[in-house]
Amino acid sequence: MRNKIIDDVISEIVDNANVSHEFKVAFKQYIRNRFDGNVTDSDLKTVLNMIDSPEDIIHENDDSFNRVLEYPQIQIPLG
Amino acid sequence: MTILSIEYSNIRKFKSLLVKFTNDNNVPFKNSFVMMGNGTGKTTTITLIKGLLDGSADSWNTSAVRSYAPVNSDAQEGSFKITVRFDEKVYIYVLSLNYVTGKASTHCTTAAQGGLGPRKFPPALTDELFTQEFVRRFIFDGEQAVKAMDNTSNEAEDAIKYLYRLDVFDKILQTNRQILTAIQDSEGAKGTAQSVANLRSRQAKIGAAITRLQNRQRDLSVAISEKKSAQDELETQIARVDERYKGLNRQKIEATERRNGIKANINLCISQILDGAKSPYYVSPLLCSRMYAFGDSMTKLKLPKTISKDFFTELAHTPTCICGRSISEREKAAILANAERYLGSDQQSVLNNIKSCLMNSVYDDHLQQLFDRLGTLMADLQIAENNLLDIEDKLAKAGGEEAVKLRTDRDTLIAQIGKLNQELDTITSRDDNNPSLTEENNLPKAKAVFSELEAKIASATRTNEALRKKELVDKLVNEIKQQATDRLKQEIIEKTNAKLKTVITDDIIEIESIDKYIKLKEKTGASEGQTLSIAYCFLGTMFEDSELQFPFVIDSPAGKMDFVKRKAVANILPKLFNQMIAFVTSAEVEQFADQFYEEANTQFITIIANPNMDTIEMHPGKEYFDSYQRIHREEES
C-alpha cells in the first residue's frame, strides 16, 4: 500500500463497518496486499469466511428520501 | 524506473541506432531532449515505446508490423529495444518485428539472467500495472493533454484511476464475483434442478457476452489508437506536401483553426445546456409555472407541516383542536400516540427543500438562448467544414497524384475511425432510453442482467449467505473506491491550482472540479498553451504523490505554447518529474529546450535524415542541437 489517502480511506471505511474485528484486520490487509500484487484468490475466500453471520450484513443505506415516499397513510387531519 | 537507452534495428529509416539517456558513468540524465527533424520518426518512436511497454504490439496486425519495414532494404526482421532500470536491476524489453510473417512479439531479458523470456516486470510493480491505460500516462503526447480538458472524454478521471491504481478495487470486485460463482456451482439446488439449470445457462450466456464485449472493447480501443497514429502520420505527410503551396496552406491552417474553434465552442455550449437542464424550470415557461403552482399549493395546504409529528405534538398540548372541539387528557394521549405515524423532522426537511425549490422556480430564457447559440454554431460549423473541404480540394489538385492519394488514404482512415467509434459507443453507452441497446451489444446492460440472474440463482440455491457476504464486500469496496477518488481529486485540485499560479501568470486559471474531465473555475475554455500547462501541472501532481517513480516521455511538449508559457513550463517540468525525455521539433527549442542549456544534468541529441533521405544520423551535444534548430525552426514552426 503506497498512497496515504487511499490507505486512510480503507482504514476508515472498514473500521466503521458493522463487522467483526477479525474480518476488519484481515480485509484491510487483503486490500493492501492486493495493491502490492501479493495475493491469491483463496486469500479473499479466507477473508469472506471471517464474516460470521448474515446479521453482519444488514443493509445500512440511509435513504431518507425513499423513506418519505414510502411513508404510509399521509392524510390531512380533520380534527 | 528510469529509461537508460532505446535501440532501433531495421525500422524504417533506422538501420541501427542506439540512443543513450545516461552519461559516461551510466547515470541517467535528469532531462534529455531529442530533436528529430520532420520525417525522421518522432511519432513512430513514441508508438514503439508504448507498444513495447504495454504489450499492445503483440496484437498489431500484419500491415501495421510491415509498415515498420525499411523501404530501401530487404531486411526481413527488425527490432526495437528499451533498456530500463528498476531499483538496481536492469531489464531489457525487446520488440521483434517479423516483416515476412507480419508478426510482432515482445520479450524481456534481465542483465543478470540473459536470454529472452516473456515480457515481465519486477514483482513490486506487477504485470497488471503495465496496461495500455497506465503506460500512456507517462509516455505522453499533446493529444492526451487536450483530452484531459475535453468534456466529451473521461481522460482526467481515467488518469487518476490508473495512476493511483484505483482499478485494483475493480479487480477485487471481480475476484469476489468469481468466488460466489464457484460456490454457486458447487452447492446443490433447492429450486427445481431444471429452473436452476436454466438460470445458469442464461447467466453463462450473458457472461460469455460480457467477455466478448470486453474483448471487442479492448480491440476497438487498440484499433482506434493505431488508426489515429496512422492518420497523424498521413497528416504530417500531407502538411509537408501542402507546404509547397504557401498561400493555400496558410488558408488551410486558418480554416482548420476556425473549424476547431467552433467545435470547442459547441462542446462548451452542450456542457452549459446540460448544466442548465439540471434546473427543469428553465426548460419551458409552462413547466416553470406548473412547478411554481405545485409549490404554491403545498404552501396553501401548509405542507409538510400539517402532516408532521411536530404538528400533532403541538396540537396535543393546546386546549382546543383546529376543528373547535376541546382536547382533554384522553384526546391528548391519543393524538400523541398517533403522532408517531406522521413525518419526522428529517422527512419534513426533505419536503421543505422540495417546496422551497418549487417556489423559487423562476423562468429565464438563458437555456433557450444556449439552444439558439448551439443552432448558430452548428450552422457555422457546416460552413467552416465546407470551406476547409474546398481548400483541401484545391490543395489536392495543386499537389497532384501524391496529394490526392494521401488525402484519400486519410479520409478512408477517418471513416474507419468513425465506424469503430460508433461500435465502441454502442458497447459502452449508459443511455437507458436507447431501445437499440441490448445485453448482446451493450456492456452496462449485460452486466445488469448478469447481476439480476446472480440474485435469482442465489435464491434458487443454498447460496444466499454467500451472496450476502459478497454484497457486503462489494459495498465496502465501492465505498472505499468512491471516497478515495473524491479525496484524491480534492488533493489533486489544490496542488495543481498551486502549480498553475506559478505557470500561468497572465491569466487566472483554476480547476474547479474533476468530473470525468477537468472543469475550470469561471472559465469557458482555455487556449492550447494553457491546456498543455494545466495538463502538465495535473500530471505532475499525480506523479509527485506516487511512490513508484516513472520517467516522463513526451512528444512535442511545448507544442503551440506562446513563449511566456514555454518558459514557465520549462521552469516547472524538472520539478515535476525525475526523468524527462522530450522528443522535440526544432520549432520547440526557442524559449523552451534552450532554457535547459545551462542545466548540468541535461543532454541534447539531434537525429536527422541524411541528405539522400534513406538513413538516419545522430548528433549528440548542445552545439549541434542549437545550430540545427536555428537553421530549421522556420520550416517546422
Side-chain angles (χ1 to χ4, degrees):
Chain A
M1 191 65 242
R2 293 160 195 280
N3 183 283
K4 192 171 180 322
I5 291 178
I6 300 174
D7 201 30
D8 287 350
V9 172
I10 293 168
S11 295
E12 274 175 45
I13 304 258
V14 177
D15 288 344
N16 286 329
N18 186 20
V19 287
S20 68
H21 176 72
E22 186 194 21
F23 171 79
K24 285 178 186 175
V25 174
F27 188 50
K28 285 188 286 188
Q29 194 53 51
Y30 170 78
I31 300 176
R32 285 167 186 143
N33 289 346
R34 182 88 210 209
F35 267 88
D36 296 337
N38 189 22
V39 287
T40 63
D41 286 357
S42 65
D43 292 343
L44 184 58
K45 265 188 216 165
T46 311
V47 176
L48 283 163
N49 285 333
M50 290 176 188
I51 302 173
D52 294 329
S53 67
E55 283 71 42
D56 281 346
I57 311 163
I58 295 164
H59 291 280
E60 292 161 345
N61 290 343
D62 181 20
D63 193 345
S64 45
F65 184 70
N66 283 339
R67 271 193 278 136
V68 171
L69 294 177
E70 287 161 14
Y71 210 82
Q73 299 167 26
I74 293 178
Q75 50 190 277
I76 310 296
L78 299 172
Chain B
M1 165 182 158
T2 43
I3 297 184
L4 305 180
S5 67
I6 56 174
E7 188 175 356
Y8 311 74
S9 174
N10 287 330
I11 293 182
R12 294 196 182 159
K13 289 173 188 164
F14 296 92
K15 190 166 171 27
S16 173
L17 183 72
L18 173 68
V19 184
K20 283 179 156 187
F21 302 110
T22 53
N23 62 20
D24 294 341
N25 300 321
N26 217 22
V27 177
F29 286 105
K30 186 168 169 51
N31 309 303
S32 292
F33 287 89
V34 184
M35 179 155 51
M36 297 180 88
N38 268 339
T40 46
K42 191 159 62 69
T43 308
T44 302
T45 304
I46 292 282
T47 309
L48 289 167
I49 296 174
K50 279 186 191 167
L52 175 51
L53 286 182
D54 66 23
S56 61
D58 287 323
S59 54
W60 283 350
N61 62 30
T62 311
S63 61
V65 172
R66 287 185 180 141
S67 73
Y68 292 102
V71 180
N72 298 324
S73 151
D74 52 4
Q76 298 189 343
E77 287 180 346
S79 69
F80 180 74
K81 291 180 191 167
I82 306 176
T83 305
V84 304
R85 187 154 62 206
F86 290 107
D87 297 326
E88 289 311 309
K89 212 168 174 188
V90 172
Y91 291 75
I92 303 166
Y93 296 95
V94 184
L95 166 58
S96 304
L97 300 162
N98 188 319
Y99 304 129
V100 180
T101 61
K103 297 262 182 235
S105 54
T106 56
H107 305 278
C108 172
T109 179
T110 59
Q113 290 169 343
L116 286 180
R119 203 177 60 99
K120 64 174 184 179
F121 296 95
L125 295 175
T126 83
D127 289 359
E128 287 179 354
L129 185 64
F130 277 77
T131 60
Q132 266 176 286
E133 296 290 353
F134 183 78
V135 167
R136 75 175 197 219
R137 265 89 202 182
F138 69 90
I139 311 293
F140 199 76
D141 56 36
E143 194 188 327
Q144 201 72 11
V146 174
K147 271 192 188 170
M149 304 283 297
D150 178 357
N151 59 13
T152 60
S153 150
N154 291 347
E155 172 55 27
E157 189 107 20
D158 283 350
I160 294 174
K161 180 175 167 182
Y162 292 107
L163 281 179
Y164 286 93
R165 303 189 55 219
L166 296 172
D167 55 325
V168 164
F169 294 114
D170 296 333
K171 284 168 187 152
I172 296 175
L173 293 172
Q174 195 186 348
T175 308
N176 199 21
R177 179 183 295 280
Q178 285 163 353
I179 290 171
L180 176 69
T181 308
I183 293 170
Q184 286 173 337
D185 286 346
S186 65
E187 285 285 324
K190 73 175 180 192
T192 66
Q194 189 55 45
S195 68
V196 175
N198 285 345
L199 286 168
R200 286 227 170 95
S201 140
R202 277 193 65 199
Q203 198 194 26
K205 202 176 146 204
I206 300 290
I210 290 173
T211 310
R212 174 175 52 77
L213 289 169
Q214 281 171 332
N215 288 340
R216 185 66 188 145
Q217 182 187 12
R218 204 167 31 247
D219 292 348
L220 284 169
S221 302
V222 171
I224 290 168
S225 155
E226 282 174 10
K227 287 194 187 297
K228 279 189 173 162
S229 297
Q231 186 195 339
D232 286 348
E233 287 260 358
L234 282 172
E235 296 284 7
T236 311
Q237 291 177 37
I238 290 169
R240 213 174 304 139
V241 175
D242 290 350
E243 274 168 15
R244 294 179 212 147
Y245 312 97
K246 287 198 183 308
L248 274 173
N249 193 36
R250 200 175 310 112
Q251 283 180 36
K252 182 184 121 177
I253 291 165
E254 283 166 9
T256 307
E257 280 173 1
R258 198 159 47 245
R259 193 262 322 258
N260 291 347
I262 296 170
K263 275 189 174 174
N265 283 333
I266 287 175
N267 282 337
L268 178 66
C269 195
I270 289 171
S271 104
Q272 287 171 334
I273 286 173
L274 289 174
D275 269 355
K278 284 178 189 160
S279 304
Y281 46 87
Y282 290 138
V283 172
S284 86
L286 181 64
L287 181 58
C288 178
S289 67
R290 285 183 177 167
M291 287 174 70
Y292 183 85
F294 182 27
D296 194 39
S297 302
M298 287 178 80
T299 307
K300 282 179 188 151
L301 291 168
K302 295 189 169 33
L303 289 171
K305 170 79 177 168
T306 46
I307 53 168
S308 72
K309 193 168 88 179
D310 292 349
F311 172 80
F312 292 104
T313 311
E314 278 173 32
L315 185 69
H317 290 94
T318 57
T320 316
C321 180
I322 50 170
C323 65
R325 291 180 209 164
S326 48
I327 296 175
S328 69
E329 282 306 312
R330 203 175 117 242
E331 280 86 16
K332 181 180 174 179
I335 293 171
L336 285 175
N338 283 313
E340 289 302 322
R341 292 166 53 197
Y342 293 91
L343 302 184
S345 55
D346 52 343
Q347 291 134 349
Q348 256 197 89
S349 83
V350 172
L351 282 177
N352 274 327
N353 279 338
I354 292 173
K355 188 170 75 176
S356 140
C357 287
L358 290 168
M359 293 299 290
N360 287 330
S361 305
V362 181
Y363 178 78
D364 73 41
D365 64 351
H366 88 270
L367 197 59
Q368 186 54 49
Q369 282 179 18
L370 283 169
F371 275 114
D372 294 344
R373 178 166 159 68
L374 184 61
T376 313
L377 284 168
M378 294 301 285
D380 290 350
L381 180 65
Q382 190 60 50
I383 294 166
E385 294 275 19
N386 288 342
N387 183 32
L388 187 58
L389 278 176
D390 190 35
I391 299 165
E392 286 263 0
D393 271 352
K394 285 179 189 162
L395 274 164
K397 278 177 194 150
E401 220 171 278
E402 184 192 5
V404 173
K405 187 179 178 325
L406 286 170
R407 280 180 166 76
T408 311
D409 290 352
R410 183 214 36 204
D411 293 345
T412 309
L413 272 175
I414 291 173
Q416 288 171 347
I417 291 168
K419 270 192 176 173
L420 295 173
N421 270 326
Q422 211 174 358
E423 192 184 343
L424 190 60
D425 280 350
T426 304
I427 292 176
T428 55
S429 170
R430 291 184 182 275
D431 183 358
D432 289 332
N433 300 319
N434 184 347
S436 70
L437 301 179
T438 67
E439 60 263 31
E440 285 299 316
N441 65 10
N442 178 261
L443 256 181
K445 279 211 181 333
K447 284 179 178 172
V449 174
F450 191 89
S451 298
E452 270 172 39
L453 289 168
E454 188 171 81
K456 283 182 186 166
I457 292 169
S459 65
T461 61
R462 291 185 294 236
T463 53
N464 267 322
E465 192 179 334
L467 175 62
R468 284 196 295 270
K469 286 181 177 181
K470 172 194 171 278
E471 284 177 346
L472 169 73
V473 168
D474 278 357
K475 181 170 173 280
L476 288 172
V477 171
N478 282 322
E479 258 181 63
I480 294 168
K481 187 181 165 192
Q482 187 57 50
Q483 280 212 27
T485 307
D486 290 347
R487 284 196 213 170
L488 286 169
K489 279 182 187 173
Q490 203 44 49
E491 171 109 345
I492 291 164
I493 289 171
E494 282 167 22
K495 288 188 173 176
T496 308
N497 282 341
K499 288 189 180 77
L500 278 171
K501 273 186 191 156
T502 64
V503 174
I504 302 174
T505 50
D506 57 346
D507 198 353
I508 299 169
I509 297 271
E510 274 186 57
I511 296 176
E512 182 178 87
S513 61
I514 301 169
D515 183 11
K516 294 187 180 170
Y517 65 100
I518 293 175
K519 200 172 169 190
L520 299 179
K521 199 183 270 182
E522 293 166 10
K523 281 270 171 194
T524 52
S527 69
E528 280 191 64
Q530 287 176 336
T531 301
L532 278 177
S533 307
I534 296 163
Y536 291 141
C537 293
F538 171 66
L539 269 178
T541 300
M542 291 194 286
F543 273 69
E544 198 174 67
D545 283 351
S546 167
E547 280 186 33
L548 299 172
Q549 299 290 351
F550 286 95
F552 189 57
V553 181
I554 178 146
D555 185 5
S556 287
K560 291 180 179 172
M561 278 183 189
D562 62 40
F563 284 163
V564 176
K565 281 181 201 72
R566 283 183 178 202
K567 276 178 96 164
V569 169
N571 186 35
I572 201 165
L573 273 178
K575 293 174 194 155
L576 300 180
F577 308 105
N578 275 349
Q579 184 192 22
M580 177 181 74
I581 299 171
F583 290 88
V584 295
T585 63
S586 48
E588 286 178 285
V589 173
E590 192 174 2
Q591 301 294 320
F592 180 69
D594 59 6
Q595 299 297 300
F596 292 79
Y597 279 176
E598 302 310 316
E599 292 272 336
N601 206 356
T602 301
Q603 71 161 341
F604 300 88
I605 295 168
T606 311
I607 295 176
I608 52 168
N610 79 358
N612 57 21
M613 288 297 278
D614 57 3
T615 56
I616 292 290
E617 290 171 2
M618 183 171 76
H619 301 268
K622 184 167 69 185
E623 288 68 27
Y624 191 94
F625 185 89
D626 189 56
S627 64
Y628 181 87
Q629 68 90 14
R630 281 175 199 285
I631 298 165
H632 295 272
R633 69 183 165 204
E634 286 304 320
E635 63 194 57
E636 289 185 12
S637 64

